[in-house]
Structures are given as structure tokens and as C-alpha cells.
């Protein structure tokens, strides 16, 4: 029997493969057919890397998810009350404390997916000003300095400012805010657990 062409092979059942294709010479021939097919097929694809695909003009859908951020250094949930941000919600029920309810909103910036951190209660965004201090802004959905890159460090989530790559969101052990310009990726202050 002649070895079938690729479309015919794909249409055959498993019994045909077991009976006819298990011999070594036919298997080598079949491997050559697959290699030739996929080599020709791959040459027809446009050569684009991931950065080019992300930076293309295709439409991007923003995704928002409700979260509670737990500061592992302060051992409390992050809260936003007006313009005051802390991580002093130690033994509180995160689901009942509306000030601890945050929303991570994904967006695209210079070809990368980044996040905005929005307080659900206050309807304001966490931002970093020009000096590297954390602020809250009502119109943060339009400001570049309100963008953060989510990362991982030692199994914990980190939030790096897009405005300055050396600045990170962080909290001291007493629950008070540690300003982003004083917080680095290697410090425990910058580590969070995300609860959904």
C-alpha cells in the first residue's frame, strides 16, 4: 500500500495508523512529509514578534477585575479613604470594608499591557506624581502616571510605576504608605497578595 498524502492521512481513522504506519520505514517517510508540509506552511506566515503584534493598531479590550490587595509587609489590606491610602485593615472583613475594594483595569501602553488601580468606593485612581509620591486622581484613567506594571518577586505581586521604572507601590510595617520613590522591587514593602 502507498503511504497516503497528508490530507488523506488526516482523514483516516486510528486503526489505519496502528495497522499501516507503525512500521519504521513508513514512519520515517511520514515524518518527512510532515516536515516538508510545516516548513512550507511556516514560510508563508508573516514574521512578527510579540512586541510587533502587541503594538499593532488592532483594537484592545480593557478588562477590569475587582480585587483586594494584601500587603505582606504591613499584614493588612490596602484601603483608600478620600485621598488617604493605607494598609491598616488588619483584622477587618475585606468584603465588608468598601474602602479596601479595588479594581485593576488593564490597558495598553506602548505595546505592553499595564494596569490602573481604581478605588471602587472613591472612584479614584492611584497615581504617582512627578516627585514620586503616591496620589489619588479622579481623572486617573487618562493619565500616564497612573499606570502600573504588574510583576512577580519571590512569589508575590509587585506594582511598578510606568512613570519611573525604579518606583514601586509599597507599605511600611505599621500600615502607612511608603512613597514609591523610596520603594524598590527588592524590598518587602513592595510585595502583595491579590485576592479576588
Amino acid at each position: 500500500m502507498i503511504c497516503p498524502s497528508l490530507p488523506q492521512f488526516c482523514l483516516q481513522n486510528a486503526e489505519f495508523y496502528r495497522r499501516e504506519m507503525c512500521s519504521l520505514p513508513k514512519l520515517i517517510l511520514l515524518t518527512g512529509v510532515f516536515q516538508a508540509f510545516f516548513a512550507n506552511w511556516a514560510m508563508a506566515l508573516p514574521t512578527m514578534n510579540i512586541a510587533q503584534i502587541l503594538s499593532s493598531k488592532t483594537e484592545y479590550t480593557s478588562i477590569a477585575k475587582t480585587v483586594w490587595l494584601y500587603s505582606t509587609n504591613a499584614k493588612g489590606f490596602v484601603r483608600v479613604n478620600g485621598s488617604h491610602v493605607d494598609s491598616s485593615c488588619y483584622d477587618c472583613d475585606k468584603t465588608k470594608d468598601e474602602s479596601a475594594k479595588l479594581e485593576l483595569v488593564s490597558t495598553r501602553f506602548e505595546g505592553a499591557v499595564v494596569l490602573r488601580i481604581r478605588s471602587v468606593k472613591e472612584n479614584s485612581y492611584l497615581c504617582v506624581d512627578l516627585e514620586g509620591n503616591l496620589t489619588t486622581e479622579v481623572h486617573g484613567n487618562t493619565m500616564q502616571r497612573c499606570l502600573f506594571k504588574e510583576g512577580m518577586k519571590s512569589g508575590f505581586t509587585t506594582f511598578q510605576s510606568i512613570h519611573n521604572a525604579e518606583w514601586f507601590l509599597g507599605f511600611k510595617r505599621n500600615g502607612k504608605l511608603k512613597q514609591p520613590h523610596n520603594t524598590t522591587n527588592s524590598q518587602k514593602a513592595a510585595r502583595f497578595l491579590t485576592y479576588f
Side-chain angles (χ1 to χ4, degrees):
M1 180 176 177
I2 301 171
C3 187
S5 68
L6 188 61
Q8 289 173 336
F9 174 76
C10 292
L11 296 174
Q12 300 298 323
N13 60 25
E15 180 63 28
F16 173 81
Y17 175 76
R18 186 189 62 74
R19 188 178 66 244
E20 297 292 329
M21 290 295 157
C22 288
S23 68
L24 188 58
K26 290 179 182 177
L27 189 58
I28 292 171
L29 178 63
L30 184 63
T31 304
V33 169
F34 275 119
Q35 287 176 346
F37 173 76
F38 286 115
N40 290 337
W41 179 71
M43 286 196 295
L45 290 176
T47 55
M48 291 180 73
N49 62 28
I50 297 297
Q52 290 171 326
I53 292 170
L54 286 175
S55 64
S56 66
K57 299 292 182 189
T58 58
E59 194 172 314
Y60 177 77
T61 303
S62 179
I63 299 172
K65 59 183 174 182
T66 302
V67 298
W68 289 266
L69 293 180
Y70 180 81
S71 170
T72 59
N73 195 41
K75 296 181 179 37
F77 288 96
V78 176
R79 299 185 304 180
V80 179
N81 286 311
S83 62
H84 180 74
V85 181
D86 67 19
S87 184
S88 300
C89 186
Y90 302 115
D91 293 323
C92 67
D93 183 358
K94 65 178 172 50
T95 58
K96 291 182 181 174
D97 188 355
E98 286 296 315
S99 64
K101 190 177 191 179
L102 302 174
E103 190 175 69
L104 299 182
V105 183
S106 68
T107 188
R108 216 150 95 179
F109 178 72
E110 293 183 357
V113 177
V114 292
L115 300 173
R116 296 182 194 279
I117 304 171
R118 185 179 80 87
S119 167
V120 174
K121 177 186 174 191
E122 302 294 334
N123 194 26
S124 61
Y125 294 83
L126 299 183
C127 303
V128 180
D129 67 14
L130 298 176
E131 290 80 35
N133 299 313
L134 193 74
T135 63
T136 57
E137 301 287 342
V138 175
H139 301 289
N141 59 333
T142 61
M143 298 179 186
Q144 175 185 338
R145 58 190 180 87
C146 301
L147 296 173
F148 293 88
K149 180 180 176 185
E150 187 177 26
M152 293 294 286
K153 178 71 174 179
S154 302
F156 298 102
T157 304
T158 60
F159 296 97
Q160 177 185 22
S161 172
I162 294 297
H163 187 64
N164 186 323
E166 296 177 7
W167 297 345
F168 286 81
L169 181 63
F171 292 90
K172 299 175 186 176
R173 278 188 262 168
N174 62 6
K176 292 183 179 179
L177 176 68
K178 185 168 186 180
Q179 294 300 342
H181 69 271
N182 289 330
T183 310
T184 64
N185 188 23
S186 61
Q187 296 174 347
K188 290 181 182 178
R191 298 177 186 173
F192 297 91
L193 292 173
T194 307
Y195 289 84
F196 298 99

